[in-house]
């Protein structure tokens, strides 16, 4: 119903903000992530999500659309309420939550206060396919800062090899020499594929 607000920042706290729009003050629950991103400027723009329950209408605010998307995915999981989702987004960035789910990283999800092993596993089980589809993440692979590796993997995919198969070989090649050029990584990988 209320998808975003643009208005005057009246009050800003680590757990909530009050935004005045057209003479009406809106109380928005926020995460620490949003708190750190919101400027202290008078006029702000926040994405929102309105949760309607029998006894309350609660508005949540987000500095980024990506955080709101992750929040909505999290609250769709049985046993994960809005406060748990907000705690997760206060402890981890939306990208960290998304990557942990995509990689099936239970310890990262479980590191959030109040989330046990079963809840962490349920979050991953329920959301992994959605996250892979929504964010168009192909075969899940650990993030790498090595751009040569990424370029080599892309080239091998173009040549018809699967990313998973190529990644194992490229990792093996790079374990022997991390300073290889893209061309040499591809040549070495092709010998082993």
């Amino acid at each position: 119903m209320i998808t975003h607000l643009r208005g005057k920042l009246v009050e800003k706290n680590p757990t909530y903000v009050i935004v005045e729009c057209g003479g009406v003050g809106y109380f928005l629950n926020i995460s620490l992530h949003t708190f750190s991103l919101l400027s202290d400027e008078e006029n702000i723009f926040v994405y929102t999500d309105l949760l309607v329950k029998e006894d309350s209408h609660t508005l949540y605010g987000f500095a980024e659309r990506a955080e709101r998307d992750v929040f909505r995915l999290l609250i769709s999981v049985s046993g994960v309420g809005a406060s748990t989702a907000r705690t997760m987004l206060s402890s981890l960035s939306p990208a960290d939550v998304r990557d942990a789910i995509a990689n099936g990283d239970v310890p990262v999800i479980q590191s959030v206060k109040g989330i046990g092993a079963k809840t962490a596993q349920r979050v991953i089980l329920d959301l992994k396919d959605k996250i892979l589809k929504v964010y168009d993440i192909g075969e899940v692979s650990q993030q790498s800062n090595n751009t040569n590796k990424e370029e080599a993997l892309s080239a091998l995919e173009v040549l018809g090899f699967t990313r998973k198969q190529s990644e194992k070989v490229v990792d093996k090649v790079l374990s022997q020499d991390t300073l290889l050029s893209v061309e040499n990584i591809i040549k070495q990988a092709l010998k082993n594929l």
Side-chain angles (χ1 to χ4, degrees):
M1 189 170 130
I2 301 171
T3 188
H4 67 264
L5 295 173
R6 182 183 308 276
K8 180 181 175 187
L9 179 62
V10 176
E11 192 174 335
K12 177 182 168 187
N13 288 293
T15 57
Y16 71 90
V17 292
I18 297 174
V19 180
E20 185 179 318
C21 301
V24 178
Y26 292 90
F27 182 96
L28 302 167
N29 292 285
I30 61 169
S31 67
L32 287 173
H33 178 74
T34 290
F35 176 77
S36 67
L37 292 177
L38 285 178
S39 65
D40 291 327
E41 294 175 20
E42 190 173 344
N43 292 313
I44 64 167
F45 178 90
V46 279
Y47 294 98
T48 61
D49 192 54
L50 177 65
L51 291 182
V52 179
K53 294 184 180 175
E54 286 180 22
D55 58 344
S56 69
H57 290 209
T58 310
L59 202 54
Y60 290 86
F62 308 95
E64 304 169 317
R65 178 179 276 153
E67 184 181 12
R68 181 179 67 183
D69 294 344
V70 171
F71 176 83
R72 286 176 172 168
L73 285 171
L74 289 171
I75 62 173
S76 72
V77 176
S78 173
V80 177
S83 61
T84 302
R86 185 169 73 159
T87 301
M88 284 181 78
L89 291 166
S90 291
S91 303
L92 304 166
S93 74
D96 290 341
V97 173
R98 185 188 67 218
D99 292 344
I101 293 169
N103 291 319
D105 198 341
V106 174
V108 170
I109 303 291
Q110 202 176 338
S111 70
V112 176
K113 186 177 187 284
I115 295 190
K118 285 186 178 180
T119 303
Q121 289 167 350
R122 190 179 316 112
V123 166
I124 289 169
L125 185 69
D126 288 1
L127 298 181
K128 188 171 187 172
D129 290 340
K130 289 179 187 175
I131 293 241
L132 293 177
K133 186 189 275 184
V134 170
Y135 293 97
D136 198 26
I137 302 170
E139 286 290 331
V140 181
S141 60
Q142 294 298 322
Q143 293 298 314
S144 168
N145 292 330
N146 187 337
T147 54
N148 286 355
K149 174 184 173 182
E150 292 303 317
E151 287 179 36
L153 288 171
S154 294
L156 290 167
E157 276 184 288
V158 170
L159 293 172
F161 297 98
T162 66
R163 185 167 184 97
K164 200 170 192 177
Q165 176 187 19
S166 302
E167 191 161 26
K168 288 178 184 172
V169 175
V170 169
D171 284 341
K172 187 176 179 184
V173 168
L174 287 172
S175 69
Q176 294 164 2
D177 184 0
T178 57
L179 301 174
L180 287 174
S181 68
V182 175
E183 185 180 341
N184 288 327
I185 293 171
I186 295 168
K187 283 180 183 176
Q188 294 294 321
L190 286 171
K191 289 178 186 174
N192 296 307
L193 282 169

